[in-house]
Amino acid sequence: MKLTKFAHACVRLEKDGKVLLIDPGTFAEDAAFETADAVLITHEHPDHVDVERLRGLQVPVFTTAGAAAELNDERVTVVSDGQSFHAAGFAVRAYGKDHAVILPELGVPCENIGYLVDDAVYHPGDSFTQPDREVHTNLVPISGPWFSVAPAVEYARSVKAEQTVGIHNALLSDIGLGMMQRWIGEAGGRPYHGLTPGQSLEIS
């Protein structure tokens, strides 16, 4: 499997000629939308789902009820915590239901679902919900209005992954990116990849 990072929280997985796109939001480059065979959306916030560009893709979409309502399309399937399904030939498991708290006065955040793909790559969306098994590559959010360092480090330590990749990073400067690589990379004692948009990794 090949993983390619796009801007912010968007990643593309490729295997056997098929492409699974995860969280193509408003920060993502147009190239992210070009060849998808199926799409996973963790939640309805626009930095994770660009409704207008996604409508241009005639492919299945799997997501929460809130994001499905935003998309309002018959191609969309609502999934929930604990559900397993297949998307473009990839085996997917859904985890969690709660978006991280942004500010207490904003009330309860929207639903958020993490996805484990082929028991290898885990994307948590805007949460630190952990999968119930070891994974090869854990995608770790490293910035955002809801983010703080200590829970991110604990999450990176707790998820048993061979390597981590920083995501949700559009708001960070080069200084902040370097700091996150030091903190998250050292947290688990395993390789950390601060991929820039367009960079890829082979997942074996």
Side-chain angles (χ1 to χ4, degrees):
M1 189 192 309
K2 180 181 178 181
L3 180 153
T4 302
K5 186 187 184 305
F6 289 91
H8 201 49
C10 179
V11 298
R12 181 174 67 197
L13 301 176
E14 301 174 59
K15 182 189 73 171
D16 299 333
K18 296 292 186 180
V19 173
L20 181 63
L21 189 61
I22 308 176
D23 277 5
T26 53
F27 298 146
E29 300 84 352
D30 288 339
F33 293 80
E34 289 177 355
T35 58
D37 294 296
V39 179
L40 306 179
I41 302 294
T42 61
H43 64 287
E44 64 216 58
H45 290 162
D47 58 327
H48 293 259
V49 54
D50 186 324
V51 172
E52 294 307 315
R53 285 193 289 176
L54 198 53
R55 284 185 178 139
L57 295 178
Q58 297 302 309
V59 299
V61 177
F62 302 84
T63 189
T64 64
E70 292 282 330
L71 291 163
N72 192 26
D73 193 298
E74 63 183 14
R75 296 173 295 123
V76 178
T77 299
V78 174
V79 296
S80 58
D81 178 40
Q83 188 172 346
S84 296
F85 57 95
H86 284 82
F90 295 81
V92 183
R93 297 173 186 263
Y95 289 88
K97 62 183 180 119
D98 296 325
H99 187 290
V101 173
I102 300 172
L103 290 171
E105 62 265 30
L106 297 179
V108 177
C110 65
E111 183 181 11
N112 177 94
I113 292 178
Y115 297 107
L116 177 59
V117 180
D118 281 353
D119 279 343
V121 177
Y122 183 64
H123 192 308
D126 281 6
S127 79
F128 293 127
T129 300
Q130 298 180 26
D132 60 355
R133 62 200 66 204
E134 295 185 4
V135 302
H136 182 280
T137 302
N138 185 29
L139 307 181
V140 181
I142 60 172
S143 178
W146 55 272
F147 175 87
S148 60
V149 172
V153 171
E154 179 59 29
Y155 166 75
R157 288 174 175 166
S158 297
V159 176
K160 304 301 183 186
E162 293 187 28
Q163 63 182 359
T164 58
V165 174
I167 61 167
H168 211 273
N169 56 0
L171 304 183
L172 282 178
S173 68
D174 288 341
I175 293 171
L177 289 169
M179 182 183 75
M180 288 300 108
Q181 180 157 352
R182 186 173 72 251
W183 280 98
I184 302 297
E186 292 175 358
R190 293 183 174 90
Y192 172 86
H193 302 281
L195 301 180
T196 58
Q199 282 190 303
S200 302
L201 282 177
E202 294 295 334
I203 308 299
S204 57

